[in-house]
Amino acid sequence: MDDNVLSWFGQASVVVSVLAVCWTMIWQNLQHIHLQQFFARNFNRRARRLAAVVDPYLSVTFEEYEGGRIKSSEAFDEVKSYLTTATGTRGVRHLRAECGGSSRRDAAADKDKLVLSMAKGEEVADVFEGATVWWSAAAVAPRQDAAPWSRAARAERRFFRLDFHEKDRDLVLGEYLTHVRRKGREVMAKNRQRRLYTNISREGFDDGFYRDVWTHVPFDHPKTFDKLAMDPAKKKDIIADLDMFRNGKEYHERVGKPWKRGYLLHGPPGTGKSTMVAAMANYLKYDVYDFELTSVKTNTELRKLLIETKSKSIMVFEDIDCSLDLTTSKRKTAKEEEEAEADREKDDDPLRPDKKAGTKRSSVTLSGLLNFIDGLWSACGEERLIVFTTNHVGKLDPALIRTGRMDKKIEMSYCDFESFKFLARMHLSDDVVEAHRDKCDRVKALLEEVNMAPVDVGEHLTPKCPDEFEDAAPCLDRLVDALEKAKEATRSPGPQQVDEQGIVVEDDKE
């Protein structure tokens, strides 16, 4: 009997050992499949099915920013514009009002027009092919853990939410959203108010990126090509080039080029470079982005500015030779530029313990600017002009103004007789040249000897009292007198530049 008991215990111990080994192997494999996640996943799946029976409605959210908040969402803007229509505002009790419409030159009646959209917390229903959907406007409160000096501590994250029944899923996600975006773009084009943007100083970080990098005012500059004093043939050539660019989408796609074009406007001060930009913007009906490079700290910030620009726009860099060190002097090696860029990034970190007020350096490298206008980042967007203006084109690095970066170079020259006649007719009367032939002939002779900018000629021709609107002689006499004084003051060969008071402007010998 004792032998049987011992034998039974021996067999049992063997079985227990085998079971322990098997359980160890099974447990190790069960750990690999994560039992807790397995059961949770199956539970959640069944919970969602139960929730679908109780609440059969789905939703789509359109946030204001996308791509890590580095870029404004086009879909958000299109939905917002769609909801400004009668369907989108009917029954809404609280509305947001914004200025809209075209400039006063295109439609004066639209100057006082307001664009209305839903305020936060409102909801509106829409019907599409028998399906009812609901739009609501909402916003996420500012982050509580954001640095107190940053915009993130004050900025809401706005979004639109679309709710619809599950049975209409294919219709809504397919046809309806396409309809909303297409209609939204049409409304945006109708209510579009052209703007003049400038880059502003940033205050801290927001999720690693800056927000509100541009501020704007309505663009309502009165200068157009028919009011621009320059050679008619050159003006016609510029207009033709702009038309080719505006209608060149298929061409740029065919040859594999980003839909952009560079313009270099160069010439002495007062020859109309800035007014040329205004005329181009009015002709194309584009927005204008005025880049202030001296407030851009690094190449990275410059790329962020580029990303936040919209299509159908002109990016302007005025007096580019004064904004950056882009002369033909000694250029840094790639390694030196990388080291300088790293130093600037460190200088701009507000959390550095050794950070002191006034230690920021404001500069962008030539390499960074070249990549901005002609590198991979230049393809972020389409239908954009890049315009450089300078008084000293010879000072710019050849790499900056080569074809492909600055595709069209326009020299803005001093006033000639054709420009004078245009200015005289515009400031005085259509028959002023014929009515005052002797004075105009004298102006023609003097303009061949003395350089005067069109802006100065226009100032002399501007009537200074009501009587001069009726009699143009005093204005012409004033211009002739200024040119005569300049000629007497110089007494040296070669034409000289004079300002509106007839004072000779010394040439820059640098």
Side-chain angles (χ1 to χ4, degrees), residues 332-510:
K332 296 179 180 179
T333 64
K335 183 177 180 180
E336 289 172 335
E337 287 193 347
E338 290 178 1
E339 293 175 351
E341 174 71 10
D343 290 340
R344 281 187 290 271
E345 293 282 2
K346 292 179 181 178
D347 286 343
D348 291 335
D349 185 1
L351 302 181
R352 282 183 58 192
D354 60 339
K355 184 68 178 175
K356 297 180 181 179
T359 61
K360 289 187 178 181
R361 284 178 288 177
S362 178
S363 62
V364 174
T365 64
L366 174 61
S367 174
L369 185 60
L370 296 181
N371 289 330
F372 174 89
I373 62 177
D374 195 34
L376 293 175
W377 289 90
S378 66
C380 297
E382 59 181 15
E383 198 172 352
R384 295 187 294 198
L385 295 181
I386 301 174
V387 179
F388 287 171
T389 72
T390 179
N391 297 334
H392 309 284
V393 66
K395 290 185 175 182
L396 298 180
D397 193 295
L400 183 66
I401 59 177
R402 70 164 175 81
T403 302
R405 291 187 175 120
M406 294 293 104
D407 305 287
K408 190 170 184 63
K409 303 174 180 64
I410 302 174
E411 181 180 6
M412 308 299 291
S413 59
Y414 292 113
C415 188
D416 56 16
F417 187 60
E418 288 299 320
S419 298
F420 159 74
K421 291 193 294 184
F422 178 88
L423 289 169
R425 294 189 182 102
M426 184 170 62
H427 285 275
L428 301 174
S429 64
D430 292 338
D431 61 345
V432 63
V433 177
E434 292 75 16
H436 300 272
R437 175 64 61 183
D438 294 341
K439 288 181 172 54
C440 292
D441 288 343
R442 182 56 183 159
V443 170
K444 178 180 180 181
L446 289 168
L447 286 176
E448 293 175 355
E449 301 181 60
V450 178
N451 282 338
M452 182 175 284
V455 65
D456 296 326
V457 173
E459 179 61 27
H460 290 303
L461 294 176
T462 301
K464 300 298 191 289
C465 63
D467 292 340
E468 293 183 359
F469 284 99
E470 301 295 332
D471 183 8
C475 298
L476 294 172
D477 289 338
R478 189 161 51 242
L479 175 59
V480 170
D481 184 60
L483 293 170
E484 291 280 9
K485 288 181 179 179
K487 181 180 177 181
E488 291 295 328
T490 58
R491 293 185 179 180
S492 61
Q496 301 289 326
Q497 180 190 358
V498 297
D499 63 13
E500 62 185 60
Q501 285 79 32
I503 301 174
V504 177
V505 177
E506 296 294 335
D507 292 334
D508 188 353
K509 301 299 184 182
E510 296 181 3

Side-chain angles (χ1 to χ4, degrees), residues 107-125:
D110 289 342
K111 184 177 180 180
D112 299 326
K113 183 178 180 180
L114 291 175
V115 177
L116 302 176
S117 59
M118 289 194 301
K120 181 177 65 175
E122 288 292 323
E123 182 179 86
V124 66

Side-chain angles (χ1 to χ4, degrees), residues 34-45 48:
H34 303 290
L35 281 179
Q36 183 178 2
Q37 297 181 12
F38 174 78
F39 287 116
R41 186 166 58 251
N42 282 273
F43 177 79
N44 290 335
R45 185 181 299 117
R48 285 195 300 270

Side-chain angles (χ1 to χ4, degrees), residues 173-336:
L173 299 183
E175 299 179 34
Y176 178 67
L177 290 183
T178 301
H179 162 76
V180 169
R181 298 196 64 181
R182 185 181 297 116
K183 183 68 174 179
R185 286 192 292 269
E186 293 176 1
V187 175
M188 288 171 66
K190 179 181 178 181
N191 295 330
R192 179 170 176 255
Q193 182 186 51
R194 291 169 49 232
R195 295 171 173 176
L196 172 62
Y197 293 86
T198 185
N199 50 302
I200 61 177
S201 298
R202 269 75 68 185
E203 301 176 11
F205 295 89
D206 185 4
D207 294 342
F209 298 100
Y210 289 119
R211 288 197 62 195
D212 301 327
V213 294
W214 292 104
T215 186
H216 62 83
V217 296
F219 182 77
D220 202 23
H221 199 288
K223 184 63 71 175
T224 57
F225 275 113
D226 60 350
K227 300 175 185 176
L228 190 66
M230 69 182 307
D231 180 69
K234 182 183 289 189
K235 187 189 300 185
K236 183 178 180 181
D237 176 67
I238 295 171
I239 293 175
D241 190 81
L242 293 174
D243 286 334
M244 286 293 293
F245 171 78
R246 179 168 51 185
N247 301 319
K249 182 176 183 179
E250 294 182 1
Y251 166 76
H252 286 81
E253 290 179 349
R254 186 170 71 251
V255 300
K257 291 173 56 180
W259 192 6
K260 65 178 182 63
R261 188 163 178 78
Y263 276 73
L264 175 64
L265 307 181
H266 61 95
T271 51
K273 296 182 288 295
S274 297
T275 53
M276 169 63 77
V277 173
M280 294 166 64
N282 284 328
Y283 182 76
L284 295 171
K285 294 182 172 58
Y286 283 3
D287 293 327
V288 177
Y289 288 86
D290 183 16
F291 280 76
E292 180 54 61
L293 288 179
T294 56
S295 67
V296 181
K297 308 305 178 196
T298 64
N299 294 334
T300 302
E301 287 189 19
L302 186 61
R303 287 193 292 269
K304 292 172 186 175
L305 289 171
L306 172 64
I307 292 171
E308 280 295 331
T309 60
K310 300 182 183 299
S311 300
K312 295 183 181 293
S313 62
I314 300 178
M315 295 183 286
V316 183
F317 299 79
E318 291 201 273
D319 298 319
I320 186 66
D321 54 310
C322 301
S323 300
L324 297 175
D325 183 13
L326 304 176
T327 64
T328 55
S329 58
K330 176 182 178 295
R331 295 172 59 179
K332 296 179 180 179
T333 64
K335 183 177 180 180
E336 289 172 335

